[in-house]
């Protein structure tokens, strides 16, 4: 069945997936452990903190049975530092994503090793990395930064480290700066034969927003170069030497 | 280009200047001389699909010894030298729609027919530069993102309005569709942000 929607996730779908992220809460009432598909939630014994998925945390917050602890990267100081990094230090690329969790190695003091190396079952993709809990590193934007930040501001604004208005305006600035970077990231396709866009560190909502545009530009460039590409492949097939550099993507094997 | 693709059909309807290589009786009306034969060397503007067929098909029916083609064609005025030079200077200042509503399609088709290395590079650069400009306008047009500091944009919405409309009027079909996609994305983003509270 042909759906009229363009390919990819919509903003609402991305936000829904982001609700799987774990966040730290401070419960106000006792709650027994609940059996969920992904495992059991920890039993809630106030005032001890616990980690729950975002959707459950928001539910408890609405029922006034818990307070959500904002992740360290959502602090105004952290956001300002990230904005500074995006504008002054790395104006071409996005700021790097948070490093994967690491453990100190008792046999090798001073060196940490990544959890993934030790334990093959550790999942390192975004909703399953603990990047929105209270133990996440500050100064790095995780993959679902915008969705989680907006959800926390909307439903748990009073739990923030600073007034929600201040955090919100910093977030808007960050959104603008990164949107401008996303727009200009396609300009690298205009020059060399094989341009690569540097998109490390991009967030989920930003991808959803610019997917149509970026794919359109890439497709357009492909169409413009299609005849030159066909001629080049013909030449290669006939075995005649060409002066064209080619690059590494000609291994389709004709 | 595919057979049923509307853009392909419209692109192929663009006229390009052709020179006839032989006398054709009874076609004189094409050159404003009805009831006379069309002489060799007369230049007529023919649609691309016809010019292509005539140029590539050689007269192998035995009438001509070497099988030379019926017509030879040149680049249409939309892809002429002054346009290419203007694009090299500043791609964003050239209203492509005035040259041809299917500028890129036409250029791509001409490049299929004849080797045009310089045109390919110029066109690629043009497309990418204008794409960035298109994305900028797509974000502005919806009134999106004018909260807070717009450090990367050129100023207020009002200041860019006049020049922006000029630019948007000069977009060809492919660029219009790109603008549509960029604008849809920006609009969806804005709607989502406003509706976060409701979830």
């Amino acid at each position: 069945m042909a759906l009229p929607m363009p390919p990819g996730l919509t903003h609402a779908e991305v936000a829904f997936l982001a609700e799987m992220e774990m966040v730290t809460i401070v419960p106000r009432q006792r709650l027994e452990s609940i059996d969920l598909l992904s495992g059991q939630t920890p039993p809630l014994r106030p005032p001890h903190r616990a980690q729950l998925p975002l959707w459950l945390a928001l539910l408890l917050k609405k029922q006034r049975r818990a307070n959500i602890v904002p992740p360290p990267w959502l602090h105004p100081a952290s956001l300002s530092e990230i904005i500074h990094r995006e504008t002054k230090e790395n104006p071409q690329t996005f700021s790097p994503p948070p490093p994967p969790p690491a453990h100190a190695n008792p046999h090798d003091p001073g060196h940490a090793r990544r959890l993934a190396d030790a334990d093959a079952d550790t999942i390192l993709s975004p909703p399953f990395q603990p990047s929105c809990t209270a133990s996440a590193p500050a100064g790095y934007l995780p993959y679902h930064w915008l969705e989680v930040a907006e959800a926390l501001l909307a439903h748990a604004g009073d739990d923030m480290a600073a007034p929600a208005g201040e955090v919100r305006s910093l977030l808007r600035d960050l959104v603008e700066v990164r949107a401008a970077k996303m727009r200009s990231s396609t300009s690298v396709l205009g020059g060399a034969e094989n341009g690569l866009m540097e998109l490390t560190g991009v967030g989920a909502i930003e991808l959803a927003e610019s997917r149509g545009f970026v794919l359109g530009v890439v497709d357009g460039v492909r169409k413009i170069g299609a005849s030159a590409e066909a001629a080049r492949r013909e030449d290669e097939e006939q075995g005649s030497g060409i002066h064209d550099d080619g690059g590494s993507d000609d291994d389709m094997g004709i | 280009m595919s057979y049923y693709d509307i853009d392909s059909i419209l692109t192929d309807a663009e006229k390009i200047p052709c020179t006839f290589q032989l006398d054709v009786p009874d076609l004189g009306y094409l050159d404003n001389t009805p009831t006379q034969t069309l002489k060799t060397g007369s230049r007529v503007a023919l649609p691309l699909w016809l010019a292509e067929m005539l140029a590539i098909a050689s007269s192998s029916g035995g009438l001509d010894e070497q099988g030379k083609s019926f017509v030879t064609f040149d680049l249409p005025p939309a892809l002429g030298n002054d346009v290419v030079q203007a694009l090299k200077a500043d791609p964003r200042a050239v209203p492509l729609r005035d040259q041809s509503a299917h500028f890129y399609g036409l250029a791509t088709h001409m490049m299929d027919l004849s080797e045009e290395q310089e045109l390919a590079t110029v066109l690629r650069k043009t497309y990418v530069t204008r794409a960035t400009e298109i994305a900028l306008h797509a974000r502005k047009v919806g009134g999106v993102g004018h909260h807070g500091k717009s450090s990367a944009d050129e100023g207020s919405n009002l200041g860019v309005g006049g020049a922006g409309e000029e630019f948007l009027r000069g977009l060809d079909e492919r660029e219009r569709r790109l603008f549509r996609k960029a604008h849809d994305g920006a609009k969806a983003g804005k709607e989502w942000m406003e509706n976060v509270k409701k979830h």
Side-chain angles (χ1 to χ4, degrees):
Chain A
M1 184 174 85
L3 279 179
M5 305 275 301
L9 298 173
T10 63
H11 293 77
E13 289 164 349
V14 170
F16 183 68
L17 289 176
E19 286 183 357
M20 282 201 287
E21 291 265 4
M22 300 296 269
V23 291
T24 315
I25 65 157
V26 178
R28 293 210 248 169
Q29 288 179 355
R30 282 174 68 103
L31 185 64
E32 292 313 314
S33 153
I34 309 174
D35 277 334
L36 299 177
L37 275 180
S38 51
Q40 284 192 333
T41 61
L44 301 182
R45 303 278 176 265
H48 296 285
R49 290 182 175 186
Q51 286 188 8
L52 292 181
L54 180 62
W55 59 270
L56 189 52
L58 289 175
L59 192 60
L60 290 178
K61 171 76 188 174
K62 274 192 211 141
Q63 297 173 347
R64 285 194 253 251
R65 303 215 261 166
N67 286 58
I68 306 184
V69 175
W73 49 265
L74 201 49
H75 198 274
S78 164
L79 289 178
S80 316
E81 187 206 327
I82 296 174
I83 293 181
H84 174 80
R85 213 189 294 155
E86 293 262 351
T87 46
K88 302 287 182 307
E89 295 174 29
N90 287 0
Q92 303 301 328
T93 55
F94 296 92
S95 49
H103 258 176
N105 191 351
H107 306 295
D108 195 3
H111 291 94
R113 82 203 143 140
R114 298 205 177 156
L115 275 183
D117 297 342
D119 178 9
D121 286 338
T122 315
I123 307 172
L124 282 185
S125 52
F128 305 107
Q129 258 190 332
S131 46
C132 295
T133 57
S135 51
Y140 294 104
L141 288 179
Y143 182 59
H144 288 292
W145 64 277
L146 191 49
E147 306 87 283
V148 172
E150 286 288 325
L152 291 183
L153 278 177
H155 302 287
D158 49 343
D159 289 336
M160 291 284 128
E166 190 185 331
V167 179
R168 198 172 264 129
S169 72
L170 281 171
L171 272 182
R172 293 280 179 274
D173 288 346
L174 202 47
V175 165
E176 277 304 316
V177 168
R178 287 167 74 100
K181 262 196 210 172
M182 179 62 99
R183 283 197 297 270
S184 55
S185 69
T186 53
S187 56
V188 76
L189 297 171
E193 271 290 336
N194 300 318
L196 278 180
M197 291 167 55
E198 185 65 53
L199 286 184
T200 323
V202 151
I205 288 280
E206 291 158 338
L207 275 183
E209 197 170 311
S210 46
R211 184 177 283 119
F213 170 70
V214 168
L215 290 184
V217 174
V218 171
D219 204 37
V221 170
R222 176 188 67 84
K223 282 189 190 150
I224 290 175
S227 58
E229 180 75 16
R232 186 178 73 91
R233 291 204 174 169
E234 250 178 49
D235 283 347
E236 276 185 19
E237 204 176 315
Q238 289 163 7
S240 58
I242 359 164
H243 57 277
D244 201 358
D245 202 4
S248 58
D249 65 320
D250 57 351
D251 295 329
M252 292 294 282
I254 300 175
Chain B
M1 297 232 204
S2 62
Y3 190 71
Y4 290 108
D5 180 32
I6 294 280
D7 287 316
S8 192
I9 297 172
L10 289 173
T11 306
D12 284 354
E14 300 270 349
K15 296 233 167 78
I16 54 173
C18 305
T19 315
F20 272 85
Q21 298 295 314
L22 50 145
D23 290 346
V24 185
D26 291 337
L27 279 193
Y29 66 90
L30 286 177
D31 205 17
N32 287 329
T33 53
T35 73
Q36 291 187 12
T37 57
L38 190 63
K39 298 273 183 258
T40 312
S42 43
R43 287 175 67 86
V44 178
L46 295 178
L48 183 54
W49 57 271
L50 187 56
E52 185 179 353
M53 280 189 345
L54 290 176
I56 297 195
S58 61
S59 50
S60 52
L63 286 173
D64 268 358
E65 309 77 48
Q66 291 126 342
K68 66 175 194 252
S69 50
F70 293 111
V71 305
T72 56
F73 55 81
D74 305 316
L75 285 181
L79 301 174
N81 199 32
D82 39 356
V83 178
V84 174
Q85 296 304 324
L87 287 178
K88 274 206 262 199
D90 184 6
R92 295 172 294 184
V94 179
L96 289 185
R97 203 171 185 86
D98 293 347
Q99 301 299 326
S100 159
H102 298 273
F103 189 83
Y104 292 103
L106 183 62
T108 315
H109 207 151
M110 295 307 297
M111 287 197 289
D112 272 338
L113 297 174
S114 56
E115 268 296 315
E116 295 284 343
Q117 198 55 25
E118 199 203 5
L119 187 58
T121 18
V122 170
L123 212 58
R124 185 180 169 134
K125 234 187 164 97
T126 306
Y127 185 72
V128 170
T129 317
R130 285 170 76 95
T132 316
E133 192 73 13
I134 289 173
L136 187 67
H137 284 101
R139 204 165 165 84
K140 276 190 171 333
V141 160
V144 180
H146 54 245
H147 313 282
K149 287 200 312 272
S150 40
S151 45
D153 305 331
E154 298 115 340
S156 72
N157 250 352
L158 298 172
V160 174
E165 277 177 35
E166 266 300 318
F167 177 72
L168 292 179
R169 243 202 310 263
L171 297 181
D172 92 323
E173 274 310 310
R174 229 180 252 187
E175 289 174 330
R176 262 198 195 172
R177 249 178 283 136
L178 195 62
F179 175 82
R180 202 64 212 286
K181 286 193 206 162
H183 183 67
D184 285 347
K187 198 165 72 149
K190 179 171 160 236
E191 269 176 34
W192 172 76
M193 278 229 226
E194 282 168 13
N195 290 339
V196 160
K197 191 92 189 168
K198 298 190 193 147
H199 294 312

